[in-house]
Amino acid sequence: PMLNPDGVINGNYRCSLAGVDLNRVWLDPSRKLHPTIYHTKVMMRRLMEDRAVLLFADFHGHSRKQNVFMYGCEPKGAAAAASVPSPAGYGAPPMAARLQERIFPRLLWRHAPEIFSFSDCSFKVQRSKESTARVVCHREFNLFNSFTVEASFAGSTKGRLAGYHFSANHLESLGAAFGEALLSYISPDQAPLNAAMRELELIYPGKAAAGGPCVATNLAGIGDLPEKVPGGSGESDIEDSDMGSGDDSAGDGGANGSGGGGEGRRRKRRSAGHKKAKASARRSSAPLVALERAAAGAVAPG
C-alpha cells in the first residue's frame, strides 16, 4: 500500500502532510500523526498471529545513487553463526544465517540483470537507520528478509541502459521480476536457490576450520560482484542521501537542516570522510564494475 498518500497527493516526496518523514517513525509511530505506519504495524502483528511472513519490502526512489538496488539487514553475533530453515521447505537442508538476507536480492538480480544491481546492495545497519521500516521490521518481527528497494531517479549504469533514465516499462518489468524471484525463492525446485547460495558462498566466504579466512580463488564466472570480495576493500557502509522518503537520509541538523557551529564542523568532517571513502571504493571496485557490466548483457534502452 501507499504509506504516504496525503503527502504525495500534495506534491511531497519525503514528508507527510504533517511534515514528518514517515520512514523515521517506525519504532514508535503515533496513531494520530502517523496513522499509516501505526496501522501497518498493527496489521503485520495480527497477520503473524496466524501465519509466517516471508518478506517485507519498502519501495522508494533514490535521487543520487544509480540503478535499482536493495538495503537489507545482516545478522550479527550468534545469529550470524546459526542456521535457518530453507524457504523452499519440503525437507530442504538449512541455510547459513549469515547469508540469508542476501539470497533474495541475488535471485532478483538473476531475474532482472539489466535493471537490478546486486553489487549496489548494502546489508549494513547504521545507527541512524534504526527507526526505518526495514530495520524495525527486521528486529521487531524477526524478519531476515526485510528490505528497502531503491529505484534511482538518476537512471542506470548497466549495459545499454547506461546513461538513460528508467521508464515506466522498466519499473514494471522489475515488478514482474520481483514476483518471479519470490516464486524461485519458495519453489520446490531448489536449483535457482542453490545456485544463488553457491555464488554467495564464493563471494562471502566463511571461516576455515583453523580460524583463518576462507579464500575463494575463482570468481571469474560470477557476475555483478559487490565490493566485498576476497582481497577487496570490504563492503562500504556508506549509504548515500536520497530524496524519496528513503532509508538513508543524511540530514541530522535542525528542522531547516542547519545546526550550531560545532555541528557544522562535525558535518564537514563527516562529509570529507564520506568523499574519501567513496573515492577509495570506486578505485578498488573498478575491475568488478567491468565484470558487472559484462554480465548485464545488451538491452535496448527505452
Side-chain angles (χ1 to χ4, degrees), residues 68 114-115 151-153 155 161 164-177 300-302:
V68 180
E114 72 283 2
I115 298 177
S152 177
F153 296 172
L161 281 180
Y164 289 88
H165 286 292
F166 292 120
S167 69
N169 287 337
H170 293 136
L171 299 179
E172 288 174 359
S173 69
L174 181 75

Side-chain angles (χ1 to χ4, degrees), residues 259-275:
E263 176 59 32
R265 287 190 293 273
R266 287 192 294 273
R267 192 177 302 159
K268 288 181 180 178
R269 287 195 295 270
R270 285 196 297 269
S271 178
H274 181 106
K275 291 177 181 177

Side-chain angles (χ1 to χ4, degrees), residues 65-67 109 113 117-120 156-159 162 219 222-229 278-297:
K65 194 171 178 179
Q66 289 178 285
N67 301 316
W109 170 72
S117 175
F118 180 80
S119 62
D120 284 312
S156 177
T157 64
K158 299 171 74 65
L219 295 175
I222 301 178
D224 206 29
L225 289 166
E227 291 171 15
K228 186 175 181 180
V229 296
K278 286 185 71 176
S280 175
R282 282 195 296 269
R283 287 193 298 271
S284 65
S285 63
L288 303 180
V289 171
L291 277 174
E292 173 190 335
R293 290 179 177 172

Side-chain angles (χ1 to χ4, degrees), residues 191-222:
L193 186 126
N194 290 335
M197 283 292 297
R198 286 193 295 270
E199 290 181 352
L200 291 169
E201 288 284 0
L202 288 173
I203 297 170
Y204 304 98
K207 299 295 182 181
C214 289
V215 178
T217 58
N218 182 16
L219 295 175
I222 301 178

Side-chain angles (χ1 to χ4, degrees), residues 104-118:
F104 182 78
R106 191 67 184 176
L107 286 172
L108 180 55
W109 170 72
R110 282 294 179 191
H111 284 277
E114 72 283 2
I115 298 177
F116 185 79
S117 175
F118 180 80

